[in-house]
Amino acid sequence: MNPPQYPASSITPTQGNLFRHGRSMSNEGAGTTFKHREGLQAPFRDGREGRSLSNAANLTFGPRGSSLAQGPPPGSFSSDLKSIAPSRGGTPRTEQGPFFADYRPASRDKTSEQRQTELREKINKETKIKIGSENLLEALVTKNAKQTKDQRMRVEAELDSSNRKIIELRSQLEREVEHSRRPKTPPLERLSGIFQSSPLKSPQRRDGDVQGGVLAAEESESPTYLLSGILRALEHEGMQPDYYVEKANRLVDLFKKYPSLKHDLAWPVFGLRVQTMLLSESRDVVAAGYRVTRHAIADRRSLQTIRRLNTDEIVMLSLVKDSKANIEREQALKFVRAFLDVKGGIHELSSPVLRTVVSVAEHHEDRLRNMSILTLLELLIRNPAMVIVSGGMASITETLLDGNYQGSESLASTLLFLFDMPHDRRYLQSSHELDAAFTIFTDPIAVHTTEEKLKSSARLVTAVLNSWPGLFTVANDGFAALRGLLQSLSYPSLLARDLVLDILFAVLQIKAPSWSSSFLAGRRLTTYGRVANLTTEAAAAPSTSALEENEEGRVSLTEHYVAVLLAVLLQSGLHQALTTIIQEESESALQRKAALLQGEVLELTNRLLPHTFSAKFQVVPKLVDPVGFLPADSSLTPISMTYQIDSVSRTLHRSQGDVKHVFLSMKRSTPQHTAAPRSIDSTKPKVDIDMDELRFRAAIVETQVLNHVKHFKWNWDLIEDLVEGPLKNPKRLNEAITGTKFLKRLLSFYRPFKYRFSDIPSTKLNQRYVRVGVSLMKTLLQNSEGIAELSESKFLRQLGECLAQLDRTSGLTATAPLFSTWRTAETLTGGYFSLLGALSSNPKGLQMIERWHMVNIFYHIIELQDRDDLVELLLGNMDFTLDSHPRVILSQAATASHKVRTPEIYYDSHTDLWQHIRIFSTNLLRKYATLDPSPDENSGSPKSVCEWAIDLLVTQLYDPEVEVSEVAVQILEESCNRKLHLEYVVRCRPQLDHLNEIGAPLLLRFLSTSLGYQYLDRLDYITQEMDDWFSLRNYRYVTLVEASLTRAFATLMQEPSRSSINDSLRPQNNGSLPPHFYRELTRTQEGCDLLRDSGHFDDFVMTITDLWSEDMDPESLVRLKGCLWAVGNIGSMELGATFLEESAIVRLIVKIAENSQVTTLRGTAFFVLGLISRSLHGMEIVAEHGWDAATDQRGRSIGYCLPQRLDVFFSLKFPQNSKKHGIRDVPHDWAPRPVTDEDPVHERVLRMVIDTGNAVTAKKAASDLNGLKLRYPEAFGSVELYRKVRDILGIHNFRLPVRRFLLDLFEKNVMRRFVLDEEESENESIQTERPSEKPPRIP
């Protein structure tokens, strides 16, 4: 049931005076209020009796499609400790007419059925408008784009407007239907929870004047009137707690629906109600008061008003309560967190409240500890001084050492943020805060802890090592932290050593090969044949021809970072630590894991590091000592491990070589039942294709096909070898057909009506049946005997009959169709499409498909609105190499319209279905658009496969859904890596103006050729884009690069999940350098001439020279980084490197990389030097400044350079910290100051309160305070003494139990008198009677 909709209104301070007298609002006041309000959009009205704004004469509605949906309330947080940022956007304000203009007596006569009929008529009308707009838009697409551009934009705007209005009308219809089914009088039930998450439940009514049809009246009343009624209801005293909780829930709901109400609250009235609730004896009422106050926060001024209500003292008292008040404590902490969500709100946090939050964070058993730590972390980023002065840094460091905090990544990122800038590092007490993350591994005693702590610390260490601030921090003191981590590999804790190896695998971005589990289990690499599982190793290097055409390729920033991290680890003793495990470890799995890592490290060293570095570490030290000095068999294990390392290296090299040959064919992820290629095993002998007759007959008998009917008794490995080997020989195939029943039984196994293949469960192991079937289809199509046998078989005829059951026009039906949704998902039935795909790759196979009229069925399948699984199976398995019907089918699916055929089908779900199909179809084109040009494609053929795919992708650029166009742009950009493809895309002359930023990367690729440059120059694109990049987008590029790196490093320690088809089809470029305008511009001589004439390069050099300093503001830092990236991208091209020779900018960049105190700026300069080294001239320039570049086997730079002296590069100054830095940056009342009193009893109490903060004197001081309360009870009823104790709690740190003990010493009425600013009565000041309750005890 949807929440009731209230008309927009407000409450002003003037109107608030009426509440004190209990009178309702006057007409004049209400009308004046609406005239001065630019406010809320009028909501939908259900049509109940009462006032309405539907026919208001002076009411102006917001734009079509606007929404009143609000974000989460301030201070909210999710269960996974991630803060939810509130929405900053405001509701569009419109002028509203007089208050009584919303009265519409005519609406009373309409029934719910009449209103539903009107809404359905409006939906039908808008549907017709939408369909007409779509038809007109399709007609305009075929005409000249420039002539119909304006008309097309108007039609698209009208189409979007109709879509939004249909959604809105359907939502209104749903609400009306819900309302018609709603009972007239809601039942009276007790609230199931303290707080309602949504107003779907019927609220409890206890007061006599709220009965019956009040709910209907509320939905038609103005929000101002409802607010006044709720506030008057809260004035009643002596009611049950549920009564006040229910009113508070209604008040919160009102603020959620009409957020502008909080801006005009009459705080003298509203604040009094809030104070009354917060001072209640009921914990539930207090919690409800916090919730109401939190939702009433509008800006910093409202926070100041709330603090004047003395809420700080109430929050302190709530937070120190025991676990019985968990709801109250949680709402109090949410109220504190709401200060962080308001602009400038952190400056309104008081020292007593923040120190109380710190005490909660220090209490290990507290339920709110994690939330308090999260609050301190957020505050540490916003204002470090407040956390430092309040003592919160100690609890954060303790949490770092403890290892129990679940949000270890957020903890690390917060501290790393402080380590970045020098003015933030001064708040840290030392430069070793992050070393605590390594302590649990480096301490021989602490390493024997729980698995959860070790894993949490492992994630923390990984996060530290995957950032520039963390790497520079652990580099302090000669990489002592890293050396300790590597030395921990010799500790006896098996789990800790295994996790350290996992850390090394993660930070070096080494993905375990598919055969690693078998290798770690002890099997030899030459026996089990799992060498090249292409689904996990498809990220290998692209083909050599692709690199030759596109020498730059994609620049991987993460690999460059891994290169410097690898160099640091090698210098810290990585080889020695791994060698020690290999020599001395008794656990075989750990020993093999170290050998696997050693082989990977050697491969990375050879590939990523310059030869000056790699030459030092290619020899594994001390793995094999001279045999003559050892006992007879003591060197067998090292020799065995040496052999294993060599075997791993050879296997990795072989698997990467295999991947290079089939990489393009595996770019496309296929559906679940697509036949995956058989694992490549170069060591396993294959069956000879020229096998003689005797051996062939023996092999057929050995398959057990002739001896057993049950398929699970057959030797499927041998069957697959025969199908892929001897059966390709026409003589052997003829013998199998005529001489035995081998082939007939094999084809019979796949016949649908046999229900043998189609009933097998769909598992990974059973995919071998699909693989054998695909190989069988391809083998039979290679010669005439096989084609004849396949044509005469019942297999295709039965398969066509089963497919006809999906075609409504065929007349064939079945109670249990073979291709039902369940069978397709749970069995191998979907594998039939893989077999059909194998047939579609051959002209003879296509003729067989057409013979049984399956092509017509394919056309009808892609039109099924409720079987997207079949559409994906059909398209994902078809072969589109031949110019035939499958291409037409794919083109039709890729451009499928999303028209609503029946009124019952909702627009949203139907649009998502066709959008999903179009995205899926577009992704399938990647395989063909990125193929290497084959020799026959350039021999004058009508149109190659690549050109057909590119033509269809260009058509997809004009898809009405932006997501489809975005996928097409990504594929075309990847296809443009080859020069021939790039020139053909340019000749297609795509129009990308409507895509804005999405199409920018593809247009940038056009600049890399003279043909594309001339095309863009005629469109006047280059000059406009250059001005845009120079003024703005060059600085946005900084955020884009850093976000890409953050995403790349954030996924290293995540568990691998089963990705969907679309996720696997979309390439992940996290960590790669995004395209840059100036880089593409300098690929051609024309672009270099334009850049030289514009003078932009000189401006970048001047900006870098002028801005670099140690006290840069964030805006200047972004500008400096943007100029560095521009210079690096220009210098990465051979033609652009000439600009570097004309200036001394490289020397300055090297100076920034080695001397800057901003760690992220050093990292940017490091990456920029790597870009510069990609060109031959740039590599020579950086070599002159002491930086060596890594090269491939041909001597070409791969873009990774390292300084010759790592100690100089990682030198960083850490200023000496003093607490005065924090005190100087916080308000004066935060600083420690003496608190005294003239009364000797009060003075003695204050001294004892201070002593309770000392662990040595706390117990005696608590005992003395209990004694003083028994002797002088009137002192603990003094508001003045309470205020001074509160001041002490605000300037000193106390443990949470001590704070609870000190506040419990005072009488309960002291807090009420302090909050309400009541004067002490004479009777209370001279009270001498002792309290009936016992003195509190300190825990």
Side-chain angles (χ1 to χ4, degrees):
M1 185 181 298
N2 289 326
Q5 304 289 333
Y6 300 99
S9 182
S10 64
I11 175 173
T12 60
T14 304
Q15 296 166 347
N17 296 330
L18 302 175
F19 302 154
R20 300 172 184 172
H21 305 288
R23 295 194 297 268
S24 61
M25 296 172 49
S26 64
N27 298 341
E28 179 181 0
T32 306
T33 299
F34 275 95
K35 289 180 182 179
H36 291 283
R37 285 287 312 229
E38 298 178 359
L40 305 166
Q41 200 176 0
F44 171 75
R45 178 183 179 273
D46 288 341
R48 295 179 178 80
E49 294 185 2
R51 305 179 212 174
S52 171
L53 289 171
S54 2
N55 289 342
N58 298 327
L59 183 63
T60 303
F61 286 89
R64 298 181 68 173
S66 58
S67 173
L68 284 174
Q70 296 298 322
S76 299
F77 44 80
S78 60
S79 59
D80 57 353
L81 301 180
K82 295 181 180 179
S83 179
I84 305 177
S87 174
R88 301 294 185 187
T91 305
R93 297 177 177 265
T94 57
E95 297 219 357
Q96 303 191 6
F99 179 74
F100 283 104
D102 63 348
Y103 184 71
R104 188 178 65 170
S107 62
R108 298 181 179 180
D109 300 331
K110 292 185 178 181
T111 62
S112 177
E113 290 74 15
Q114 292 175 344
R115 289 191 292 270
Q116 293 179 25
T117 303
E118 291 179 357
L119 289 173
R120 289 192 177 95
E121 292 176 355
K122 292 180 180 179
I123 291 174
N124 293 335
K125 180 180 178 181
E126 290 295 332
T127 302
K128 293 178 181 179
I129 295 175
K130 183 178 72 69
I131 295 176
S133 301
E134 291 174 345
N135 295 334
L136 180 58
L137 190 60
E138 291 177 358
L140 293 176
V141 169
T142 60
K143 297 182 180 181
N144 192 329
K146 292 186 177 180
Q147 295 178 358
T148 61
K149 181 178 179 180
D150 296 335
Q151 187 177 4
R152 185 156 38 88
M153 292 177 61
R154 290 195 298 270
V155 174
E156 290 176 352
E158 183 62 26
L159 179 61
D160 294 339
S161 178
S162 299
N163 291 336
R164 289 194 301 267
K165 195 167 185 180
I166 288 174
I167 297 173
E168 181 181 355
L169 290 172
R170 282 187 173 142
S171 176
Q172 295 178 10
L173 180 60
E174 290 176 0
R175 290 201 298 266
E176 188 60 40
V177 172
E178 290 284 351
H179 169 59
S180 63
R181 299 174 181 173
R182 188 184 305 168
K184 298 301 180 181
T185 304
L188 293 178
E189 298 178 351
R190 182 174 179 83
L191 294 176
S192 59
I194 297 301
F195 301 115
Q196 296 172 334
S197 59
S198 63
L200 302 181
K201 302 177 183 178
S202 300
Q204 184 178 0
R205 314 287 182 181
R206 290 187 178 270
D207 48 323
D209 58 339
V210 184
Q211 295 291 339
V214 173
L215 182 61
E218 285 182 354
E219 295 184 355
S220 59
E221 291 289 354
S222 68
T224 304
Y225 185 79
L226 293 175
L227 178 61
S228 62
I230 296 174
L231 293 179
R232 286 198 304 272
L234 288 175
E235 293 179 0
H236 298 166
E237 298 181 358
M239 307 298 293
Q240 293 295 325
D242 287 350
Y243 171 84
Y244 299 104
V245 172
E246 186 267 335
K247 298 300 179 184
N249 288 336
R250 291 175 56 194
L251 197 57
V252 171
D253 294 338
L254 195 63
F255 285 143
K256 287 182 178 179
K257 291 181 181 179
Y258 306 100
S260 58
L261 283 177
K262 64 182 70 172
H263 294 279
D264 297 308
L265 284 174
W267 279 100
V269 177
F270 184 79
L272 184 60
R273 302 285 82 76
V274 168
Q275 281 184 326
T276 304
M277 295 184 67
L278 294 179
L279 292 173
S280 173
E281 296 292 333
S282 171
R283 300 188 183 100
D284 297 341
V285 176
V286 176
Y290 282 124
R291 187 165 179 252
V292 170
T293 310
R294 174 163 55 90
H295 283 83
I297 296 174
D299 49 23
R300 185 176 179 181
R301 181 176 299 179
S302 63
L303 286 178
Q304 294 172 349
T305 304
I306 291 173
R307 287 196 61 198
R308 285 196 290 269
L309 300 176
N310 294 323
T311 54
D312 290 350
E313 284 68 28
I314 305 177
V315 170
M316 289 174 53
L317 183 61
S318 297
L319 288 178
V320 301
K321 290 184 177 180
D322 54 17
S323 58
K324 296 180 181 179
N326 274 336
I327 297 179
E328 176 185 343
R329 300 178 70 237
E330 180 179 342
Q331 291 297 324
L333 185 56
K334 284 185 176 182
F335 172 71
V336 175
R337 288 177 55 82
F339 283 61
L340 307 179
D341 299 326
V342 179
K343 184 178 180 180
I346 57 174
H347 301 292
E348 299 301 327
L349 279 174
S350 64
S351 178
V353 170
L354 188 55
R355 289 183 185 270
T356 306
V357 174
V358 171
S359 65
V360 176
E362 292 175 346
H363 197 59
H364 292 270
E365 294 79 13
D366 199 284
R367 176 175 170 268
L368 300 179
R369 179 174 182 256
N370 288 343
M371 300 177 184
S372 301
I373 293 173
L374 181 62
T375 305
L376 293 177
L377 293 177
E378 295 180 10
L379 189 60
L380 188 63
I381 295 177
R382 306 278 291 278
N383 194 326
M386 296 177 64
V387 180
I388 298 299
V389 174
S390 61
M393 200 63 199
S395 61
I396 293 176
T397 306
E398 184 181 359
T399 305
L400 199 66
L401 282 168
D402 186 38
N404 284 327
Y405 185 61
Q406 298 299 323
S408 55
E409 292 85 355
S410 61
L411 182 62
S413 60
T414 303
L415 294 177
L416 293 174
F417 176 81
L418 292 182
F419 275 101
D420 184 23
M421 303 292 290
H423 60 79
D424 289 335
R425 287 199 294 268
R426 62 194 176 100
Y427 292 117
L428 301 174
Q429 297 180 1
S430 67
S431 60
H432 301 282
E433 278 79 5
L434 288 176
D435 291 351
F438 297 80
T439 302
I440 197 170
F441 294 104
T442 57
D443 190 350
I445 299 177
V447 75
H448 299 281
T449 182
T450 61
E451 181 179 357
E452 291 75 12
K453 287 185 178 182
L454 287 173
K455 289 184 177 180
S456 177
S457 298
R459 292 193 299 268
L460 188 61
V461 171
T462 304
V464 170
L465 294 179
N466 281 329
S467 66
W468 284 115
L471 189 56
F472 276 97
T473 303
V474 299
N476 194 22
D477 294 339
F479 300 99
L482 280 180
R483 295 182 187 275
L485 182 67
L486 295 177
Q487 289 174 2
S488 66
L489 289 173
S490 60
Y491 293 164
S493 175
L494 182 62
L495 177 60
R497 285 181 292 171
D498 187 67
L499 285 176
V500 172
L501 291 180
D502 288 339
I503 292 173
L504 296 175
F505 272 102
V507 298
L508 296 178
Q509 297 194 22
I510 300 174
K511 296 182 180 180
S514 58
W515 41 264
S516 61
S517 58
S518 300
F519 173 72
L520 296 180
R523 288 186 285 177
R524 296 174 58 188
L525 292 175
T526 57
T527 58
Y528 51 88
R530 306 288 190 206
V531 176
N533 191 334
L534 300 177
T535 59
T536 59
E537 297 178 281
S543 61
T544 307
S545 59
L547 286 177
E548 290 176 353
E549 287 194 11
N550 182 31
E551 297 177 0
E552 293 77 17
R554 281 200 175 274
V555 182
S556 177
L557 299 180
T558 54
E559 282 198 349
H560 196 186
Y561 183 86
V562 167
V564 67
L565 180 57
L566 177 62
V568 170
L569 288 172
L570 290 175
Q571 285 198 357
S572 301
L574 176 60
H575 271 324
Q576 291 82 351
L578 295 178
T579 302
T580 302
I581 294 182
I582 295 174
Q583 287 180 324
E584 303 176 359
E585 180 57 43
S586 59
E587 180 66 28
S588 175
L590 192 65
Q591 193 179 46
R592 283 176 166 263
K593 192 172 186 178
L596 177 61
L597 179 59
Q598 186 81 286
E600 294 276 6
V601 167
L602 291 174
E603 193 274 333
L604 286 178
T605 303
N606 183 54
R607 182 169 61 89
L608 299 181
L609 298 185
H611 295 308
T612 55
F613 282 86
S614 60
K616 303 175 184 178
F617 302 103
Q618 283 298 324
V619 179
V620 181
K622 298 183 180 180
L623 187 56
V624 180
D625 290 334
V627 182
F629 296 96
L630 295 175
D633 48 350
S634 62
S635 62
L636 294 180
T637 298
I639 293 176
S640 175
M641 285 298 104
T642 304
Y643 169 75
Q644 294 291 352
I645 294 173
D646 180 66
S647 180
V648 167
S649 300
R650 286 186 284 106
T651 304
L652 288 172
H653 178 73
R654 182 170 61 248
S655 63
Q656 291 176 359
D658 292 332
V659 170
K660 290 180 181 180
H661 291 294
V662 293
F663 177 71
L664 293 174
S665 64
M666 292 300 296
K667 288 284 283 188
R668 171 171 64 89
S669 174
T670 52
Q672 181 182 0
H673 298 290
T674 300
R678 191 180 184 183
S679 298
I680 299 173
D681 183 9
S682 59
T683 63
K684 185 175 181 179
K686 302 295 183 181
V687 180
D688 188 9
I689 192 174
D690 296 327
M691 180 185 295
D692 57 34
E693 182 179 353
L694 293 178
R695 292 173 55 197
F696 179 68
R697 286 181 175 273
I700 288 180
V701 173
E702 190 178 350
T703 61
Q704 303 297 324
V705 174
L706 303 179
N707 300 332
H708 298 282
V709 179
K710 301 297 183 181
H711 67 276
F712 51 83
K713 294 184 178 181
W714 297 353
N715 187 347
W716 283 97
D717 290 335
L718 182 56
I719 293 174
E720 185 173 4
D721 292 338
L722 290 176
V723 170
E724 295 179 350
L727 288 182
K728 292 183 179 180
N729 188 334
K731 187 175 181 180
R732 299 283 85 82
L733 179 62
N734 183 38
E735 183 179 349
I737 295 174
T738 59
T740 65
K741 294 184 179 181
F742 172 78
L743 201 60
K744 183 178 294 186
R745 289 194 177 184
L746 197 57
L747 284 174
S748 176
F749 167 74
Y750 289 98
R751 282 165 54 182
F753 290 160
K754 289 289 186 178
Y755 292 102
R756 300 170 67 186
F757 171 78
S758 58
D759 281 353
I760 298 176
S762 177
T763 61
K764 183 177 180 181
L765 179 62
N766 291 339
Q767 291 299 316
R768 60 179 178 175
Y769 304 119
V770 182
R771 184 170 61 247
V772 172
V774 171
S775 300
L776 181 62
M777 296 297 110
K778 293 181 178 180
T779 299
L780 293 177
L781 290 174
Q782 290 183 3
N783 55 72
S784 57
E785 288 87 356
I787 295 174
E789 178 68 18
L790 190 58
S791 300
E792 296 172 0
S793 173
K794 297 180 181 179
F795 166 70
L796 290 178
R797 184 178 64 185
Q798 293 183 6
L799 184 57
E801 185 177 346
C802 293
L803 288 172
Q805 298 171 3
L806 302 172
D807 188 0
R808 296 185 178 93
T809 63
S810 65
L812 297 178
T813 58
T815 56
L818 182 69
F819 290 97
S820 63
T821 304
W822 179 85
R823 293 183 65 89
T824 305
E826 301 296 331
T827 66
L828 292 182
T829 303
Y832 282 117
F833 288 97
S834 299
L835 275 62
L836 291 173
L839 293 176
S840 66
S841 62
N842 188 284
K844 296 297 183 180
L846 284 173
Q847 291 178 7
M848 296 180 192
I849 293 176
E850 294 174 1
R851 174 189 176 187
W852 298 107
H853 307 286
M854 282 188 261
V855 173
N856 297 334
I857 301 174
F858 291 165
Y859 282 105
H860 294 156
I861 286 178
I862 64 173
E863 295 178 356
L864 296 177
Q865 301 176 8
D866 55 345
R867 294 302 306 274
D868 56 327
D869 57 333
L870 284 180
V871 177
E872 290 185 3
L873 283 171
L874 173 62
L875 298 177
N877 289 281
M878 286 293 108
D879 189 281
F880 305 102
T881 306
L882 300 177
D883 189 5
S884 56
H885 285 284
R887 287 192 182 183
V888 181
I889 294 174
L890 180 62
S891 301
Q892 183 175 342
T895 57
S897 175
H898 50 267
K899 296 180 180 179
V900 181
R901 300 191 177 186
T902 57
E904 291 79 11
I905 298 178
Y906 277 80
Y907 171 80
D908 287 344
S909 60
H910 199 249
T911 301
D912 294 340
L913 168 64
W914 283 112
Q915 178 182 340
H916 171 75
I917 296 299
R918 294 202 302 276
I919 293 176
F920 180 83
S921 304
T922 306
N923 272 313
L924 293 177
L925 295 171
R926 175 178 281 109
K927 170 187 174 181
Y928 304 96
T930 57
L931 286 175
D932 288 324
S934 56
D936 58 339
E937 291 181 357
N938 301 322
S939 58
S941 58
K943 181 172 289 189
S944 66
V945 180
C946 299
E947 292 177 352
W948 162 77
I950 290 173
D951 286 338
L952 188 52
L953 286 171
V954 171
T955 304
Q956 295 301 94
L957 295 176
Y958 310 109
D959 192 276
E961 298 295 336
V962 179
E963 291 80 2
V964 181
S965 303
E966 184 178 2
V967 175
V969 169
Q970 292 174 357
I971 300 174
L972 285 174
E973 184 185 357
E974 185 177 348
S975 178
C976 288
N977 288 337
R978 292 159 180 81
K979 187 176 181 180
L980 291 177
H981 296 176
L982 174 59
E983 293 178 351
Y984 183 78
V985 174
V986 174
R987 287 197 297 270
C988 292
R989 299 179 179 275
Q991 300 292 330
L992 302 176
D993 296 341
H994 62 289
L995 296 179
N996 298 327
E997 296 291 335
I998 297 177
L1002 183 57
L1003 289 176
L1004 290 181
R1005 298 305 301 267
F1006 290 178
L1007 291 174
S1008 59
T1009 62
S1010 298
L1011 181 63
Y1013 182 91
Q1014 296 171 6
Y1015 168 67
L1016 295 177
D1017 190 34
R1018 287 194 298 269
L1019 297 177
D1020 197 22
Y1021 166 83
I1022 299 178
T1023 55
Q1024 296 180 8
E1025 192 74 3
M1026 177 180 283
D1027 294 339
D1028 191 15
W1029 272 83
F1030 182 76
S1031 59
L1032 183 61
R1033 294 179 64 182
N1034 196 36
Y1035 309 120
R1036 292 181 181 175
Y1037 186 82
V1038 177
T1039 305
L1040 189 63
V1041 172
E1042 294 180 353
S1044 176
L1045 282 171
T1046 302
R1047 287 192 299 268
F1049 288 133
T1051 57
L1052 291 180
M1053 289 295 289
Q1054 294 181 359
E1055 294 292 336
S1057 59
R1058 182 177 299 177
S1059 59
S1060 63
I1061 293 175
N1062 286 337
D1063 294 337
S1064 56
L1065 287 174
R1066 182 174 300 161
Q1068 300 294 330
N1069 295 325
N1070 292 335
S1072 298
L1073 189 67
H1076 198 283
F1077 173 78
Y1078 289 100
R1079 184 185 182 202
E1080 304 298 330
L1081 185 66
T1082 51
R1083 289 180 184 270
T1084 60
Q1085 187 60 46
E1086 297 91 339
C1088 292
D1089 295 338
L1090 179 62
L1091 178 61
R1092 183 172 283 102
D1093 296 339
S1094 65
H1096 286 182
F1097 185 83
D1098 297 333
D1099 292 336
F1100 292 146
V1101 174
M1102 187 178 301
T1103 303
I1104 296 173
T1105 306
D1106 296 340
L1107 287 182
W1108 181 45
S1109 63
E1110 298 305 328
D1111 53 352
M1112 290 179 295
D1113 57 276
E1115 183 179 354
S1116 300
L1117 181 61
V1118 172
R1119 289 184 58 196
L1120 179 58
K1121 290 181 179 180
C1123 295
L1124 285 173
W1125 282 118
V1127 171
N1129 279 279
I1130 292 173
S1132 63
M1133 298 291 103
E1134 290 293 343
L1135 296 176
T1138 57
F1139 291 90
L1140 302 176
E1141 297 177 347
E1142 299 171 0
S1143 63
I1145 185 60
V1146 177
R1147 180 184 294 107
L1148 180 59
I1149 296 175
V1150 171
K1151 188 176 181 181
I1152 293 175
E1154 295 179 351
N1155 298 318
S1156 176
Q1157 294 303 309
V1158 182
T1159 58
T1160 54
L1161 182 59
R1162 278 198 185 188
T1164 302
F1166 174 80
F1167 289 135
V1168 168
L1169 291 173
L1171 281 176
I1172 293 175
S1173 68
R1174 296 182 71 85
S1175 62
L1176 180 60
H1177 295 297
M1179 183 171 60
E1180 295 174 352
I1181 295 175
V1182 298
E1184 294 175 357
H1185 294 84
W1187 286 62
D1188 295 333
T1191 57
D1192 58 10
Q1193 295 178 354
R1194 301 183 181 182
R1196 298 176 304 181
S1197 173
I1198 60 176
Y1200 307 145
C1201 68
L1202 297 178
Q1204 296 176 357
R1205 294 190 57 186
L1206 289 176
D1207 56 343
V1208 175
F1209 175 70
F1210 284 104
S1211 61
L1212 193 66
K1213 297 179 181 178
F1214 288 89
Q1216 294 296 327
N1217 171 72
S1218 176
K1219 204 168 184 179
K1220 64 182 181 181
H1221 291 304
I1223 297 176
R1224 188 168 55 239
D1225 298 335
V1226 296
H1228 296 291
D1229 56 349
W1230 285 55
R1233 60 188 182 278
V1235 180
T1236 59
D1237 197 304
E1238 296 180 355
D1239 190 327
V1241 176
H1242 291 184
E1243 179 66 21
R1244 187 179 176 186
V1245 169
L1246 295 179
R1247 288 199 308 269
M1248 293 180 182
V1249 167
I1250 296 176
D1251 290 341
T1252 56
N1254 190 332
V1256 178
T1257 60
K1259 187 174 182 179
K1260 182 178 184 304
S1263 177
D1264 293 343
L1265 285 173
N1266 283 328
L1268 285 176
K1269 184 174 183 180
L1270 293 175
R1271 294 177 58 188
Y1272 307 102
E1274 69 278 0
F1276 294 91
S1278 171
V1279 175
E1280 184 63 27
L1281 179 61
Y1282 176 83
R1283 181 179 287 107
K1284 294 185 178 181
V1285 171
R1286 175 255 189 195
D1287 293 340
I1288 294 176
L1289 294 178
I1291 59 178
H1292 296 284
N1293 288 335
F1294 294 89
R1295 294 185 297 112
L1296 184 64
V1298 175
R1299 287 179 175 270
R1300 184 185 305 129
F1301 165 77
L1302 294 177
L1303 293 178
D1304 287 346
L1305 286 172
F1306 291 88
E1307 303 292 339
K1308 294 183 178 181
N1309 62 351
V1310 174
M1311 174 63 72
R1312 174 178 293 274
R1313 288 188 283 116
F1314 180 81
V1315 172
L1316 299 179
D1317 293 331
E1318 296 178 357
E1319 297 293 336
E1320 294 187 60
S1321 62
E1322 183 178 355
N1323 293 333
E1324 290 175 343
S1325 62
I1326 62 175
Q1327 180 183 3
T1328 58
E1329 59 187 19
R1330 298 187 179 184
S1332 58
E1333 59 182 4
K1334 296 181 180 180
R1337 296 171 55 190
I1338 184 170

